Amino acid sequence: PHRRRSGPSLLSSSSEVPPGMSLIPKKGTVYVVDDDEAVRDSLQWLLEGKDYRVKCFDSAESFLSRFDPREVACLIADIRMDGMSGLELQDRLLERKRPLPVVFITGHGDVPMAVTTMKKGAMDFIEKPFKEDELLRLVERMLEQARVAFSQHQEQASRAALLARLTTREAQ
């Protein structure tokens, strides 16, 4: 009779993740909002190939309904889409006090539009077809900015929580 050997196996039936490993890539989340499926697919392929977590949306409205402001993330959005435009999306995020680093992509950009987006906090404005390495550098810069903003937000929340626990006398 064959005996099954006990001991470590290369294949594990459990879904345990080894210590120090994560199922979510450590580089951060990139939201892609574009009404062109081919653009979404190519950006998803490019960014996932570089270990980014990518979430694609075909409209600004669907993005806003599922956006998680607790994630360290950035946004790549088409400026001109059916329904809400990329500019309107940027305005909605600012209204909600949920600014996140944004780069706009467009097939037909103009200088005044680019200036408007940058004044509202967009990191950049690039035209299709764009260079992959240029986009990847922008994504890394945006995620670094998001990490800094996230940690500052966490620090402020911690300070506020500590202050809230002080008695009136301690707070003086």
Side-chain angles (χ1 to χ4, degrees):
H2 291 291
R3 291 186 126 178
R4 194 175 156 186
R5 287 192 300 158
S6 62
S9 166
L10 291 176
L11 299 173
S12 173
S13 60
S14 75
S15 60
E16 283 185 48
V17 178
M21 297 291 285
S22 170
L23 294 174
I24 298 172
K26 291 177 176 58
K27 286 190 170 186
T29 298
V30 181
Y31 291 108
V32 175
V33 182
D34 198 310
D35 57 359
D36 183 336
E37 185 178 6
V39 172
R40 288 193 313 270
D41 288 348
S42 68
L43 284 170
Q44 184 167 12
W45 179 84
L46 170 68
L47 295 164
E48 284 181 347
K50 299 292 180 184
D51 288 332
Y52 293 102
R53 183 172 184 218
V54 182
K55 295 182 181 179
C56 293
F57 300 91
D58 61 1
S59 71
E61 294 86 351
S62 65
F63 164 74
L64 285 171
S65 71
R66 299 204 290 283
F67 164 58
D68 183 353
R70 296 165 302 182
E71 284 188 291
V72 172
C74 66
L75 172 64
I76 299 173
D78 191 358
I79 203 87
R80 296 178 200 248
M81 296 181 279
D82 293 335
M84 189 188 301
S85 73
L87 285 172
E88 291 169 310
L89 171 58
Q90 185 181 28
D91 288 340
R92 294 281 167 81
L93 289 168
L94 291 170
E95 286 166 12
R96 292 179 176 192
K97 306 239 186 299
R98 298 286 185 219
L100 76 162
V102 182
V103 63
F104 287 106
I105 54 175
T106 185
H108 27 259
D110 58 27
V111 173
M113 189 184 298
V115 169
T116 300
T117 64
M118 302 291 274
K119 282 183 176 177
K120 290 181 180 180
M123 284 199 71
D124 217 324
F125 187 95
I126 56 177
E127 289 187 74
K128 299 173 199 172
F130 44 81
K131 295 181 178 89
E132 289 182 3
D133 57 336
E134 180 185 355
L135 183 72
L136 291 169
R137 278 195 304 274
L138 279 171
V139 165
E140 199 46 52
R141 268 188 26 227
M142 289 191 298
L143 286 171
E144 183 54 38
Q145 180 182 333
R147 283 188 278 275
V148 168
F150 185 79
S151 82
Q152 288 172 344
H153 176 76
Q154 295 291 89
E155 287 173 19
Q156 287 173 336
S158 294
R159 280 196 296 273
L162 288 172
L163 286 172
R165 284 190 285 196
L166 294 178
T167 64
T168 308
R169 185 173 180 104
E170 289 172 327
Q172 291 176 346

